[in-house]
């Protein structure tokens, strides 16, 4: 199985090489994958150094000049540190571009809180007209990036080390039906699909998969409902998509269980697997939460 971050880097370089309108900007992070191509394409592959606000502003400047920019660094630096530049550089000026983060919620657990961003998708969701991708497999990373670069809008792609055992086609705004059931509908986002499938074994629940969470497939969710009980399993801040689910079911009495990264900060570094278990996002934790909800 391919590494998700390496797949992103290779695909990004291929796109810059094959499309004269595409540029790649990064802030030191992942430079080991870009250095050789940067020597050949110094005008369109640019390392701005550890200057994340400049990274986003320069990407917006390239968009103003008619290029399709890809901007990349860790999620905590790309979304949280440079949020004002995202808001003003892209949204206020109504520019298109592609932001690609790595690290996610706790990939780099040894890096401590400075390298963790469980709130990135929730923060991006405060801005209008962003297509938000949470690929659950390396192949989905490549597919999402190619689609984003070929478009003209604003795309945020969240690349994490964790991935599922198989890929699904990237269809923004469409949920993939994975398993049928009647007692509840479980929406597994990105790399949470494999733990969800393990956790739901033997349970009479419907499982839907989302690798793109904005736009959210409200119609697809409604079509899948046996009973109006929905469980969201997201690899970032718990409750991030509760709003869109509730809006989809506004005319129905319903229940929503939101599973994800908790708001309590875990100050012991640990491993990504330990963080996942501590937030109840491993298969055993999801199973416990589902059994309580269904009972």
């Amino acid at each position: 199985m391919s590494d998700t971050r390496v797949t992103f880097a290779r695909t990004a370089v291929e796109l810059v090489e094959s499309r004269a309108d595409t540029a790649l900007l990064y802030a030191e992070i992942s430079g080991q994958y870009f250095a050789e191509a940067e020597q050949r394409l110094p005008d369109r592959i640019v390392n701005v150094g550890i200057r994340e606000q400049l990274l986003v502003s320069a990407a917006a400047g390239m968009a103003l000049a008619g290029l399709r920019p890809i901007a990349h660094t860790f999620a905590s630096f790309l979304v949280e540190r440079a949020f004002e530049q995202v808001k003003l550089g892209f949204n206020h000026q109504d520019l298109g571009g592609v932001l690609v983060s790595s690290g996610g919620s706790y990939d780099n657990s040894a890096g401590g809180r400075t390298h963790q961003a469980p709130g990135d998708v929730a923060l991006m969701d405060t801005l209008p007209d962003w297509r938000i991708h949470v690929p659950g497999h390396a192949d989905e990373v490549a597919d999402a990036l190619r689609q984003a670069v070929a478009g003209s809008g604003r795309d945020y792609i969240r690349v994490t080390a964790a991935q599922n055992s198989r890929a699904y086609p990237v269809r923004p705004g469409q949920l993939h039906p994975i398993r049928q059931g009647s007692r509840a509908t479980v929406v597994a986002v990105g790399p949470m699909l494999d733990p969800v499938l393990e956790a739901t074994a033997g349970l009479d629940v419907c499982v839907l998969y989302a690798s793109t969470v904005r736009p959210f497939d409200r119609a697809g969710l409604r079509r899948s409902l046996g009973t109006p009980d929905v469980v969201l399993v997201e690899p970032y801040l718990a409750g991030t998509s509760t709003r869109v689910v509730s809006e989809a079911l506004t005319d129905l009495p319903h229940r929503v269980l939101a599973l994800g990264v908790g708001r309590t900060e875990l100050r012991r570094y640990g491993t990504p697997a330990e963080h996942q278990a501590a937030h109840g996002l491993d298969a055993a934790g999801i199973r416990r939460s589902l059994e309580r909800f269904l009972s």
Side-chain angles (χ1 to χ4, degrees), residues 52-277:
E52 290 82 8
Q53 292 96 328
L54 172 62
L55 169 73
V56 175
S57 293
M62 286 191 167
L64 276 172
L67 293 172
R68 184 70 170 157
I70 304 168
H72 168 67
T73 187
F74 286 147
S76 55
F77 306 146
L78 182 64
V79 176
E80 295 179 333
R81 181 173 295 173
F83 182 71
E84 183 178 14
Q85 284 69 38
V86 175
K87 178 179 70 175
L88 299 180
F90 285 96
N91 276 87
H92 182 62
Q93 299 187 100
D94 196 21
L95 296 172
V98 184
L99 305 184
V100 183
S101 71
S102 64
S105 297
Y106 37 71
D107 271 6
N108 192 353
S109 57
R113 188 63 173 177
T114 58
H115 288 63
Q116 298 170 10
D120 60 334
V121 174
L123 190 54
M124 290 298 297
D125 196 31
T126 66
L127 299 175
D129 303 322
W130 281 88
R131 191 160 61 172
I132 300 178
H133 308 267
V134 189
H137 190 277
D139 291 351
E140 295 172 13
V141 171
D143 196 358
L145 183 60
R146 291 190 180 102
Q147 289 188 34
V149 169
S152 59
R154 292 185 282 272
D155 290 78
Y156 175 56
I157 303 175
R158 189 183 208 256
V159 177
T160 59
Q163 58 179 316
N164 302 312
S165 56
R166 62 157 292 185
Y168 291 86
V170 175
R171 300 190 184 115
Q174 293 185 42
L175 291 165
H176 292 272
I178 305 297
R179 182 180 289 168
Q180 297 299 314
S182 61
R183 293 189 64 195
T185 296
V186 183
V187 180
V189 175
M192 298 314 305
L193 179 59
D194 275 7
V196 163
L197 289 176
E198 183 179 346
T200 57
L203 297 179
D204 182 20
V205 298
C206 173
V207 177
L208 303 176
Y209 174 59
S211 64
T212 302
V213 293
R214 301 294 182 276
F216 187 82
D217 185 4
R218 302 179 187 195
L221 176 67
R222 288 186 69 106
R223 284 195 301 270
S224 75
L225 292 179
T227 56
D229 290 344
V230 178
V231 180
L232 280 168
V233 188
E234 301 180 276
Y236 36 76
L237 190 66
T240 295
S241 293
T242 301
R243 171 185 62 83
V244 292
V245 169
S246 293
E247 288 173 355
L249 307 178
T250 187
D251 60 322
L252 295 174
H254 60 275
R255 296 190 304 154
V256 179
L257 172 64
L259 303 181
V261 179
R263 293 179 181 270
T264 300
E265 182 180 338
L266 304 179
R267 292 186 168 87
R268 293 182 182 273
Y269 286 1
T271 65
E274 287 171 331
H275 279 257
Q276 185 163 337

Side-chain angles (χ1 to χ4, degrees), residues 7-27:
T7 297
F8 152 68
R10 288 175 178 168
T11 306
V13 170
E14 289 170 6
L15 287 166
V16 176
E17 289 177 330
S18 63
R19 297 177 57 108
D21 66 341
T22 303
L24 169 64
L25 299 93
Y26 68 101

